[in-house]
Amino acid sequence: MRAARLIKMVLLLQSRPSMTAAELARELEVSERTVTRDAQALSEAGVPVYADRGRAGGYRLVGGYRTRLTGLHRSEAEALFLSGVPGALREMGLEDAASAARLKVSAALLPSLRDASRTAAQRFHLDAPNWFREPRTPRLLPAVADAVWDDRRITARYRRGEDEVVRELEPYGLVLKAGVWYLCARVAGGASFRVYRIDRFTSVEAGAERFAREEDFDLPAFWEERAEQFARSLLRADVLVRLSPAGVRRLPYAMDPLPAREALGTAGEPDGDGWVTVTLAVESEDVAHTQLAALGPEVEVLAPGTLRARFAADARRLAALYGM
């Protein structure tokens, strides 16, 4: 424990010109008295820690005691600090490891690049969860993450509808999508990969056996393909609509972008009023009613007749409500 703290203290002093005892105590989560003792221990071990006295004083390293990463441009150093997503790392139980890694990199960078972590953080932040949704970290996520990093098979029990199913899985990768964690895995002994929502796991037990990972498995490509397949699998009905120019612009924001993009891509020429007729793939008539209602008078449903009748009834209710 103390050895790790001493190393962290050296790295902190390498990354900054000097630090007060109070600053070091706060970073190391110890008392200022402990900082003094640690500084003395480092000095006795040959690490040139020097204490400046007075109000502007503090601890610093002398004699150029540091290692450096050479060959990095500023853009490369800043990109390096963008590679970690703090919230996701914290949920997987890797926050301490990531913090230590960033500190080591900062300490080894050239002085002119020391502010790379700050400038990157000022220019980019990833907020993964959806709006109006309270993010919840799955209780078993750290255990699953450990198995993913270590290529260890897991025995997972998960909810599937009203039942619970037990599977032996080879966990290949984790995906955080709109605040929801997914595991991309292969059933032990199987050939195909599947996707599991981790918040549906009720128990996870990692075994001692490691699996042989397919070297050509591409997690981003696999996820992109599965996500598109899933989106298409939900589209089980078609509706025929007319859209005003404003409706064309607003359609991708009112419904799923994939069917909206495909429908508009096959639209014919606008009529004399600038309206276009398109066929939309939708999940169901109920979902289409909810999504298209957001377009108001910028859309006219032509078919099916049952959906058109629902919009006509909505129009009559609105007219009555507003006394028209």
Side-chain angles (χ1 to χ4, degrees):
M1 181 69 177
R2 190 190 186 199
R5 189 175 70 242
L6 293 174
I7 293 173
K8 185 174 182 179
M9 183 174 179
V10 173
L11 292 173
L12 284 167
L13 293 175
Q14 281 188 196
S15 63
R16 307 178 194 181
S18 68
M19 296 183 69
T20 65
E23 291 172 336
L24 283 168
R26 186 166 54 252
E27 290 282 354
L28 299 173
E29 298 180 348
V30 295
S31 67
E32 292 186 32
R33 185 182 296 272
T34 299
V35 168
T36 301
R37 288 198 298 264
D38 285 351
Q40 182 177 354
L42 286 171
S43 180
E44 292 173 353
V47 178
V49 178
Y50 179 78
D52 287 319
R53 306 298 180 183
R55 294 181 58 186
Y59 291 93
R60 61 187 177 89
L61 292 173
V62 296
Y65 189 87
R66 58 177 52 86
T67 59
R68 293 178 176 177
L69 290 178
T70 58
L72 281 179
H73 298 293
R74 168 164 292 278
S75 61
E76 294 170 332
E78 291 172 345
L80 185 63
F81 285 101
L82 289 178
S83 62
V85 183
L89 292 170
R90 181 173 58 252
E91 292 179 7
M92 288 189 291
L94 297 173
E95 183 179 28
D96 289 343
S99 176
R102 287 193 294 269
L103 184 59
K104 290 177 181 179
V105 172
S106 294
L109 285 173
L110 291 168
S112 61
L113 301 179
R114 291 281 169 76
D115 64 342
S117 61
R118 180 180 58 82
T119 57
Q122 289 174 337
R123 288 163 174 79
F124 179 81
H125 173 68
L126 176 62
D127 184 8
N130 276 334
W131 288 102
F132 315 117
R133 182 175 186 172
E134 186 68 25
R136 295 181 180 177
T137 303
R139 176 177 57 88
L140 297 172
L141 176 60
V144 176
D146 284 345
V148 169
W149 295 124
D150 210 21
D151 291 340
R152 290 191 182 274
R153 288 183 177 176
I154 60 173
T155 300
R157 182 183 295 271
Y158 67 96
R159 296 187 302 274
R160 189 169 68 181
E162 299 297 325
D163 302 321
E164 280 197 345
V165 180
V166 179
R167 291 284 186 272
E168 186 178 1
L169 302 175
E170 296 176 349
Y172 267 69
L174 294 167
V175 175
L176 177 60
K177 170 68 172 179
V180 180
W181 284 94
Y182 296 89
L183 172 67
C184 301
R186 183 169 58 184
V187 176
S192 61
F193 291 90
R194 301 179 184 180
V195 176
Y196 302 86
R197 277 185 61 145
I198 296 180
D199 58 7
R200 293 179 182 169
F201 285 4
T202 58
S203 69
V204 171
E205 182 178 348
E209 182 182 0
R210 287 185 170 87
F211 63 90
R213 174 180 289 267
E214 288 189 12
E215 294 300 326
D216 59 350
F217 177 76
D218 186 335
L219 179 61
F222 169 78
W223 177 258
E224 182 178 3
E225 179 183 354
R226 284 303 174 91
E228 184 170 330
Q229 289 177 0
F230 176 73
R232 291 186 184 280
S233 71
L234 298 176
L235 307 176
R236 302 186 178 94
D238 291 331
V239 297
L240 185 66
V241 301
R242 291 178 68 238
L243 295 165
S244 70
V248 169
R249 292 192 299 271
R250 290 165 51 186
L251 183 66
Y253 303 99
M255 64 183 303
D256 296 334
L258 175 65
R261 184 172 62 249
E262 292 183 345
L264 294 176
T266 59
E269 292 297 321
D271 61 19
D273 296 322
W275 289 56
V276 297
T277 300
V278 299
T279 299
L280 289 170
V282 297
E283 291 185 40
S284 66
E285 187 172 305
D286 286 340
V287 172
H289 179 255
T290 301
Q291 292 175 333
L292 294 176
L295 298 180
E298 308 304 331
V299 61
E300 178 189 3
V301 175
L302 303 177
T306 51
L307 183 59
R308 181 178 176 87
R310 291 176 68 173
F311 275 95
D314 289 346
R316 289 192 294 271
R317 290 178 59 194
L318 284 171
L321 185 63
Y322 289 100
M324 299 177 65

